[in-house]
Amino acid sequence: MWHKNKKIQKEKYLVKRRRYFHMLIINERLPENAIIVEEPEIADLLSHFLKIEKVINKRGYKIYISSDVLVSTHGVGGPSTALILEELIENGVRKIIRYGTAGTKNEKVKLGSYFIPTGVSRYISNSMYQRTRNDMIYSLYPDLELAFSIYEKLKENNIDVSYGEVFQSDDFYAEEEINEIVDMETGTLFLISKLKNVKSASVLIIANYRGKWINYEEIYKRDFPIILNAILT
Amino acid sequence: MWHKNKKIQKEKYLVKRRRYFHMLIINERLPENAIIVEEPEIADLLSHFLKIEKVINKRGYKIYISSDVLVSTHGVGGPSTALILEELIENGVRKIIRYGTAGTKNEKVKLGSYFIPTGVSRYISNSMYQRTRNDMIYSLYPDLELAFSIYEKLKENNIDVSYGEVFQSDDFYAEEEINEIVDMETGTLFLISKLKNVKSASVLIIANYRGKWINYEEIYKRDFPIILNAILT
Amino acid sequence: MWHKNKKIQKEKYLVKRRRYFHMLIINERLPENAIIVEEPEIADLLSHFLKIEKVINKRGYKIYISSDVLVSTHGVGGPSTALILEELIENGVRKIIRYGTAGTKNEKVKLGSYFIPTGVSRYISNSMYQRTRNDMIYSLYPDLELAFSIYEKLKENNIDVSYGEVFQSDDFYAEEEINEIVDMETGTLFLISKLKNVKSASVLIIANYRGKWINYEEIYKRDFPIILNAILT
Amino acid sequence: MWHKNKKIQKEKYLVKRRRYFHMLIINERLPENAIIVEEPEIADLLSHFLKIEKVINKRGYKIYISSDVLVSTHGVGGPSTALILEELIENGVRKIIRYGTAGTKNEKVKLGSYFIPTGVSRYISNSMYQRTRNDMIYSLYPDLELAFSIYEKLKENNIDVSYGEVFQSDDFYAEEEINEIVDMETGTLFLISKLKNVKSASVLIIANYRGKWINYEEIYKRDFPIILNAILT
Amino acid sequence: MWHKNKKIQKEKYLVKRRRYFHMLIINERLPENAIIVEEPEIADLLSHFLKIEKVINKRGYKIYISSDVLVSTHGVGGPSTALILEELIENGVRKIIRYGTAGTKNEKVKLGSYFIPTGVSRYISNSMYQRTRNDMIYSLYPDLELAFSIYEKLKENNIDVSYGEVFQSDDFYAEEEINEIVDMETGTLFLISKLKNVKSASVLIIANYRGKWINYEEIYKRDFPIILNAILT
Amino acid sequence: MWHKNKKIQKEKYLVKRRRYFHMLIINERLPENAIIVEEPEIADLLSHFLKIEKVINKRGYKIYISSDVLVSTHGVGGPSTALILEELIENGVRKIIRYGTAGTKNEKVKLGSYFIPTGVSRYISNSMYQRTRNDMIYSLYPDLELAFSIYEKLKENNIDVSYGEVFQSDDFYAEEEINEIVDMETGTLFLISKLKNVKSASVLIIANYRGKWINYEEIYKRDFPIILNAILT
């Protein structure tokens, strides 16, 4: 199948490319585990739980590196996330959890509860097409064991958690027609993880209900040890 | 969102429709659990493990009904499967496992082992479009707990099992370009389950490697009690 | 044109493939003429008009074979039909008539009359895409002489018959938005016939008007000799 | 179905529109039968067989009108043809034959023979989309009786004729990848005929083989009486 | 990128092709500048401003040739325009202005004023696809200096002129749903100009407001010297 | 046209929405002119040329505000850019220049020279679809006068500048197949500018040739006064 050959060629191309130019943001060996978050404010907050050995701050991305896990921002949207994912994986990351927030118009999903995406719907025309450029719909899903482990650990801590489909949005201010739980980066994470053969999952705090935001910083602080535990075991 | 409204309208339409015409195959209350298989030969084989109370045999479909679970054929391909799924769910089924076989060209997946689909890729143009008719890609995925439970129970019995993506084919003799594990009905099962709010999973015996088939009947006989156990608990 | 080359390659592939594996259902020389029907009940009924020499019953397909014509079921929908068409043609069939039923919401088409498809509309995304996988719309049409011959013979017998376009559905319970005469297999028949250079036509009894079915078995019995005559001369 | 409602609305719109503005080319009652040709040179030639009562010559279109049939040019391509078809039908035409030439790269189709299109393939993206603007593939086909009648009459006159699919091209100098018999207007004729409920067929002289043209004027002169006979009876 | 290779191959093909067959309409060296118009009536009118040395009149196209500029008709729609553009460029034309009329439903654009297209929107499925046949959206735009020069010269003459996007229609009588300024050929001009590396622009008289036409012939006569001046300097 | 109605509804929705929630990043009146750049490092650099009155630093965006012009980062890719554009325009910005860098594989475009996009090509499936969700291709182009003014002013300063099409990429590490000048945000800028009726242009330093980057900071410093002059006059 041509898209497989293409992927193989691309891998070769990447290997060759590394010889003569540096990546945009990161050019050093990284730990195998990564927690990725949208904004620098949250990366800063989570970094206080780790023994940070190095910080990278370039072109708007901020990466806090400890010995066994790093926390990186991914910015807003699929293209911004794809860029940093490629660099993380190219430099050694093998397991990734997106820890973020999501919005909902659905009154059944409780504000402040967690949602674990087991699938990602999107418009047929979307930012993820360019990565594969063919006539196929790639299925986007987390690693079954990693996703179930996060689910189980949250439950064990009596934290409200559910699972199902999110919708990947490419335009924050053009989401009026989306009735599902909305996320802007989980699909890109799942797509690139599959193509690069890396394990990933996403765990989202329902933080925004029809434009009303909760104070989610306290939730990050309370639960980050659980998420860290899920990725490190 | 218009496709949500459409779905709601469709539900109303279905309720109304039941008043004046019978479904094509089934018109009676069914148990909540269903195991669906492609061919009548396998349905016959599995029926021997159950205390069958009634058999329906109509328009090529065969359904063996016991008090708490039924075994039904779904025929070849998405359209044939969609028809019987609609009738099963309309008559009371709420949890469905497809128990079938799949082919592979990938030497890494062992013949005779199990594969649990956690996602379903397909061509952009496919038999599932008609159900929703819009500009969205629906994500197709199993119920996380049901899929993990089958995975765990097979592992506990020391049975070789892995998980990941299958490709839904619409044409058995035009699959030369598909390099993934190929299935013809799991996507339709996941799509209709989501739209009807029913739990489902699929568990596939890797039975066909580049056109060479193994004798899979013995595997069905050996493991059906495990699958039954997963759906009934 | 690449899709022509692909077809040629595919033909070579098929020839090569036959050396080392058997087809799923049929592995023997067949007569040149085939009448295909959806369900086993109708195949049984029509078989009484022929001197049957052999019956195949496998994976839900049933084939009654006489010396110059066979009657085969094709199951529900395009994928199920494509599978058996490939096997029929690979084993010697060269002329095919689908003899079936169709539904309508259009009050102008009389229940119990015949309709001969001269074209097949469908959704842009449909089960037939996989066979050719390219950026073309294939035109789907019957053999002009065969279709006209059925039309003429029915007229000569004073049977009510009209012709025009049918819509190929991939989902029986998601047809509310289709306002045309609906069929689930004629498009697949016309597509595969064209690609394999085989003559085909379809002749449909209008049997279902907004969910109300007529008793079509008597019509099959009355007219099968006319259809047989059209295919054999 | 929305596209049906749209069509109905469009019809109403047309009726209303006629009250306040004239059509671009034709604003008078026309005979029911029309022969349409690409270029003015051929229209001139065919007009000598008729008793012409009026000639319209406007915006590049030329129309020769007799009492029971007219000969009109349609120009090059679908958009040019759609414009004049709309005006012909709006002013009374009910039966239309395109009498033209087609090219081929296929050595099996004889230069100077006739080809009757029974289907029209095209690229998924093409000039005909705008007429219907939806997610459906419209099947394009001639009127069965009219097409068969032309076929029969040509055969009776011992003229070499075959039938099958043409490919509708939208760009004469970008046809290198098309391996079929190529035509630029038959699809538009069949589409608009279906939407307007008018009978049509197309009959093409194979005049161009890989860029080499035959002298087709003599063929037009020899056979125009046969084509006239087919449309008038 | 495959479509680049394709283009290169196509160029080679064209070179080779010229050896053995003549183009359909034009087979002689042309001046570098061309003004193209839809209908023969306008070409006639504009030709009176030039010292015409030769006239070609073939297959419905009419071309008036002077020593440094020609005036050619392009007929109705993209396919008709693509054919003559290919021949003009193949025979030496390097700068092209379409001088035509456009319609509007927008009351803000004044009847009789000029509109210079700086972009061309269209339906995703349209007559221009065939030229490139790939998964890209080609951007359609005029040459910045040529378009600005026409704009500036019209302003200097105190002529009302604005600029922005036109919508390329493929079907004159199916434009009810288009709310923009409508044109049928500018997109094809911009596409072929880009692929052939030729400079082009379009300048349109707003002549039709909801089906009501102004007398635009006087405007052509008044302003043709300005347009000529823009292309020749 | 439905997408126009939708847009109107959306505008109403926005107005209504502002009553009860704050925008994510900016909630204050802004000057009419904005220069947008990708990364914080460049925004910092350019801010030294202005008399900054306020700085916003939130969720990874950095905005330097002076009395008549602001400099804002837009992050990586269309989705990140769309978010901040919406907020800038909602708070008063009416003229926007993206001042950035672009890469090329084309040896004809000189490293360190400027390129002014007059059109934006992209894959049919891309991050901009969500904004309009329909069957149209929106043409993406700068304001003619603003783009020409930047072009003219750079030329007057003897700076090397050309113009033409850029390709909007959604994935920095999946651009091997793009042979054009690549940009990741200009298309989004042009689309949102058109929908919001705001003037915009883009001016790009060719800074990256097959992965080799030039030191572009000196160019920004040298030419920012020219760009400022173009937006302020």
Side-chain angles (χ1 to χ4, degrees), chain E residues 19-33:
Chain E
R19 292 192 208 134
Y20 63 88
F21 87 90
H22 282 218
M23 292 202 115
L24 268 189
I25 316 296
I26 315 171
N27 285 285
E28 61 187 274
R29 198 69 194 165
L30 297 175
E32 290 213 348
N33 304 297

PDB file of all heavy atoms in Angstrom, chain E residues 19-33:
ATOM      1  N   ARG E  19       4.553  17.658 -33.196  1.00  0.00           N
ATOM      2  CA  ARG E  19       5.189  17.149 -34.411  1.00  0.00           C
ATOM      3  C   ARG E  19       4.209  16.505 -35.370  1.00  0.00           C
ATOM      4  O   ARG E  19       4.409  16.503 -36.563  1.00  0.00           O
ATOM      5  CB  ARG E  19       6.248  16.099 -34.044  1.00  0.00           C
ATOM      6  CG  ARG E  19       7.423  16.712 -33.333  1.00  0.00           C
ATOM      7  CD  ARG E  19       8.565  15.717 -33.245  1.00  0.00           C
ATOM      8  NE  ARG E  19       9.346  16.030 -32.053  1.00  0.00           N
ATOM      9  CZ  ARG E  19       9.752  15.141 -31.178  1.00  0.00           C
ATOM     10  NH1 ARG E  19       9.483  13.866 -31.370  1.00  0.00           N
ATOM     11  NH2 ARG E  19      10.434  15.509 -30.120  1.00  0.00           N
ATOM     12  N   TYR E  20       3.179  15.863 -34.839  1.00  0.00           N
ATOM     13  CA  TYR E  20       2.354  15.071 -35.758  1.00  0.00           C
ATOM     14  C   TYR E  20       0.908  15.517 -35.911  1.00  0.00           C
ATOM     15  O   TYR E  20       0.173  14.984 -36.700  1.00  0.00           O
ATOM     16  CB  TYR E  20       2.408  13.581 -35.397  1.00  0.00           C
ATOM     17  CG  TYR E  20       1.860  13.233 -34.049  1.00  0.00           C
ATOM     18  CD1 TYR E  20       0.514  12.946 -33.885  1.00  0.00           C
ATOM     19  CD2 TYR E  20       2.686  13.171 -32.933  1.00  0.00           C
ATOM     20  CE1 TYR E  20       0.017  12.605 -32.656  1.00  0.00           C
ATOM     21  CE2 TYR E  20       2.192  12.841 -31.698  1.00  0.00           C
ATOM     22  CZ  TYR E  20       0.859  12.546 -31.565  1.00  0.00           C
ATOM     23  OH  TYR E  20       0.362  12.212 -30.342  1.00  0.00           O
ATOM     24  N   PHE E  21       0.463  16.492 -35.110  1.00  0.00           N
ATOM     25  CA  PHE E  21      -0.894  16.949 -35.428  1.00  0.00           C
ATOM     26  C   PHE E  21      -1.066  18.435 -35.162  1.00  0.00           C
ATOM     27  O   PHE E  21      -0.335  19.039 -34.385  1.00  0.00           O
ATOM     28  CB  PHE E  21      -1.975  16.103 -34.717  1.00  0.00           C
ATOM     29  CG  PHE E  21      -2.341  16.535 -33.337  1.00  0.00           C
ATOM     30  CD1 PHE E  21      -3.366  17.464 -33.126  1.00  0.00           C
ATOM     31  CD2 PHE E  21      -1.698  16.001 -32.237  1.00  0.00           C
ATOM     32  CE1 PHE E  21      -3.728  17.835 -31.850  1.00  0.00           C
ATOM     33  CE2 PHE E  21      -2.051  16.377 -30.959  1.00  0.00           C
ATOM     34  CZ  PHE E  21      -3.065  17.298 -30.763  1.00  0.00           C
ATOM     35  N   HIS E  22      -1.977  19.004 -35.851  1.00  0.00           N
ATOM     36  CA  HIS E  22      -2.253  20.423 -35.743  1.00  0.00           C
ATOM     37  C   HIS E  22      -3.221  20.684 -34.604  1.00  0.00           C
ATOM     38  O   HIS E  22      -4.022  19.827 -34.264  1.00  0.00           O
ATOM     39  CB  HIS E  22      -2.849  20.913 -37.066  1.00  0.00           C
ATOM     40  CG  HIS E  22      -1.805  21.093 -38.114  1.00  0.00           C
ATOM     41  ND1 HIS E  22      -1.811  22.113 -39.032  1.00  0.00           N
ATOM     42  CD2 HIS E  22      -0.678  20.380 -38.370  1.00  0.00           C
ATOM     43  CE1 HIS E  22      -0.766  22.000 -39.803  1.00  0.00           C
ATOM     44  NE2 HIS E  22      -0.058  20.957 -39.443  1.00  0.00           N
ATOM     45  N   MET E  23      -3.156  21.893 -34.019  1.00  0.00           N
ATOM     46  CA  MET E  23      -4.146  22.251 -33.009  1.00  0.00           C
ATOM     47  C   MET E  23      -5.490  22.437 -33.710  1.00  0.00           C
ATOM     48  O   MET E  23      -5.558  22.592 -34.930  1.00  0.00           O
ATOM     49  CB  MET E  23      -3.706  23.527 -32.296  1.00  0.00           C
ATOM     50  CG  MET E  23      -2.448  23.273 -31.454  1.00  0.00           C
ATOM     51  SD  MET E  23      -2.230  24.502 -30.128  1.00  0.00           S
ATOM     52  CE  MET E  23      -2.428  23.474 -28.665  1.00  0.00           C
ATOM     53  N   LEU E  24      -6.553  22.441 -32.904  1.00  0.00           N
ATOM     54  CA  LEU E  24      -7.902  22.475 -33.478  1.00  0.00           C
ATOM     55  C   LEU E  24      -8.211  23.781 -34.204  1.00  0.00           C
ATOM     56  O   LEU E  24      -8.821  23.785 -35.268  1.00  0.00           O
ATOM     57  CB  LEU E  24      -8.948  22.323 -32.368  1.00  0.00           C
ATOM     58  CG  LEU E  24      -9.430  20.934 -32.030  1.00  0.00           C
ATOM     59  CD1 LEU E  24     -10.618  21.046 -31.082  1.00  0.00           C
ATOM     60  CD2 LEU E  24      -9.836  20.160 -33.272  1.00  0.00           C
ATOM     61  N   ILE E  25      -7.814  24.916 -33.621  1.00  0.00           N
ATOM     62  CA  ILE E  25      -8.265  26.207 -34.141  1.00  0.00           C
ATOM     63  C   ILE E  25      -7.112  27.013 -34.745  1.00  0.00           C
ATOM     64  O   ILE E  25      -7.225  27.549 -35.840  1.00  0.00           O
ATOM     65  CB  ILE E  25      -8.896  27.059 -33.003  1.00  0.00           C
ATOM     66  CG1 ILE E  25      -9.834  26.236 -32.118  1.00  0.00           C
ATOM     67  CG2 ILE E  25      -9.586  28.305 -33.567  1.00  0.00           C
ATOM     68  CD1 ILE E  25     -11.050  25.687 -32.779  1.00  0.00           C
ATOM     69  N   ILE E  26      -5.994  27.125 -34.010  1.00  0.00           N
ATOM     70  CA  ILE E  26      -4.919  28.032 -34.410  1.00  0.00           C
ATOM     71  C   ILE E  26      -3.619  27.273 -34.626  1.00  0.00           C
ATOM     72  O   ILE E  26      -3.200  26.489 -33.759  1.00  0.00           O
ATOM     73  CB  ILE E  26      -4.654  29.104 -33.322  1.00  0.00           C
ATOM     74  CG1 ILE E  26      -5.972  29.692 -32.794  1.00  0.00           C
ATOM     75  CG2 ILE E  26      -3.737  30.208 -33.860  1.00  0.00           C
ATOM     76  CD1 ILE E  26      -5.794  30.580 -31.577  1.00  0.00           C
ATOM     77  N   ASN E  27      -2.977  27.525 -35.762  1.00  0.00           N
ATOM     78  CA  ASN E  27      -1.682  26.918 -36.029  1.00  0.00           C
ATOM     79  C   ASN E  27      -0.745  27.931 -36.680  1.00  0.00           C
ATOM     80  O   ASN E  27      -0.260  27.731 -37.780  1.00  0.00           O
ATOM     81  CB  ASN E  27      -1.860  25.684 -36.927  1.00  0.00           C
ATOM     82  CG  ASN E  27      -2.425  24.505 -36.155  1.00  0.00           C
ATOM     83  OD1 ASN E  27      -1.728  23.871 -35.386  1.00  0.00           O
ATOM     84  ND2 ASN E  27      -3.712  24.239 -36.345  1.00  0.00           N
ATOM     85  N   GLU E  28      -0.535  29.041 -35.963  1.00  0.00           N
ATOM     86  CA  GLU E  28       0.373  30.047 -36.500  1.00  0.00           C
ATOM     87  C   GLU E  28       0.870  30.913 -35.346  1.00  0.00           C
ATOM     88  O   GLU E  28       0.265  30.982 -34.286  1.00  0.00           O
ATOM     89  CB  GLU E  28      -0.361  30.926 -37.506  1.00  0.00           C
ATOM     90  CG  GLU E  28      -1.530  31.677 -36.919  1.00  0.00           C
ATOM     91  CD  GLU E  28      -2.324  32.400 -37.994  1.00  0.00           C
ATOM     92  OE1 GLU E  28      -1.934  33.529 -38.312  1.00  0.00           O
ATOM     93  OE2 GLU E  28      -3.298  31.807 -38.503  1.00  0.00           O
ATOM     94  N   ARG E  29       1.977  31.597 -35.560  1.00  0.00           N
ATOM     95  CA  ARG E  29       2.566  32.447 -34.537  1.00  0.00           C
ATOM     96  C   ARG E  29       1.647  33.630 -34.233  1.00  0.00           C
ATOM     97  O   ARG E  29       1.174  34.306 -35.138  1.00  0.00           O
ATOM     98  CB  ARG E  29       3.936  32.959 -35.018  1.00  0.00           C
ATOM     99  CG  ARG E  29       4.819  33.491 -33.912  1.00  0.00           C
ATOM    100  CD  ARG E  29       5.298  32.392 -32.993  1.00  0.00           C
ATOM    101  NE  ARG E  29       5.857  32.908 -31.753  1.00  0.00           N
ATOM    102  CZ  ARG E  29       6.079  32.156 -30.693  1.00  0.00           C
ATOM    103  NH1 ARG E  29       5.797  30.859 -30.709  1.00  0.00           N
ATOM    104  NH2 ARG E  29       6.584  32.689 -29.592  1.00  0.00           N
ATOM    105  N   LEU E  30       1.431  33.900 -32.931  1.00  0.00           N
ATOM    106  CA  LEU E  30       0.532  34.982 -32.511  1.00  0.00           C
ATOM    107  C   LEU E  30       1.324  36.078 -31.797  1.00  0.00           C
ATOM    108  O   LEU E  30       2.419  35.822 -31.289  1.00  0.00           O
ATOM    109  CB  LEU E  30      -0.527  34.431 -31.552  1.00  0.00           C
ATOM    110  CG  LEU E  30      -1.485  33.382 -32.123  1.00  0.00           C
ATOM    111  CD1 LEU E  30      -2.385  32.841 -31.023  1.00  0.00           C
ATOM    112  CD2 LEU E  30      -2.345  33.980 -33.251  1.00  0.00           C
ATOM    113  N   PRO E  31       0.763  37.301 -31.680  1.00  0.00           N
ATOM    114  CA  PRO E  31       1.403  38.341 -30.875  1.00  0.00           C
ATOM    115  C   PRO E  31       1.378  37.952 -29.388  1.00  0.00           C
ATOM    116  O   PRO E  31       0.645  37.063 -28.992  1.00  0.00           O
ATOM    117  CB  PRO E  31       0.540  39.578 -31.127  1.00  0.00           C
ATOM    118  CG  PRO E  31      -0.763  39.068 -31.621  1.00  0.00           C
ATOM    119  CD  PRO E  31      -0.464  37.790 -32.343  1.00  0.00           C
ATOM    120  N   GLU E  32       2.143  38.663 -28.557  1.00  0.00           N
ATOM    121  CA  GLU E  32       2.266  38.293 -27.139  1.00  0.00           C
ATOM    122  C   GLU E  32       1.071  38.705 -26.287  1.00  0.00           C
ATOM    123  O   GLU E  32       0.897  38.194 -25.190  1.00  0.00           O
ATOM    124  CB  GLU E  32       3.528  38.948 -26.549  1.00  0.00           C
ATOM    125  CG  GLU E  32       4.816  38.346 -27.081  1.00  0.00           C
ATOM    126  CD  GLU E  32       5.924  38.351 -26.043  1.00  0.00           C
ATOM    127  OE1 GLU E  32       5.769  39.020 -24.997  1.00  0.00           O
ATOM    128  OE2 GLU E  32       6.929  37.675 -26.273  1.00  0.00           O
ATOM    129  N   ASN E  33       0.269  39.637 -26.753  1.00  0.00           N
ATOM    130  CA  ASN E  33      -0.818  40.171 -25.930  1.00  0.00           C
ATOM    131  C   ASN E  33      -2.184  39.747 -26.465  1.00  0.00           C
ATOM    132  O   ASN E  33      -2.423  39.824 -27.662  1.00  0.00           O
ATOM    133  CB  ASN E  33      -0.735  41.700 -25.908  1.00  0.00           C
ATOM    134  CG  ASN E  33       0.622  42.155 -25.410  1.00  0.00           C
ATOM    135  OD1 ASN E  33       0.997  41.893 -24.287  1.00  0.00           O
ATOM    136  ND2 ASN E  33       1.377  42.824 -26.293  1.00  0.00           N
TER     137      ASN E  33
END
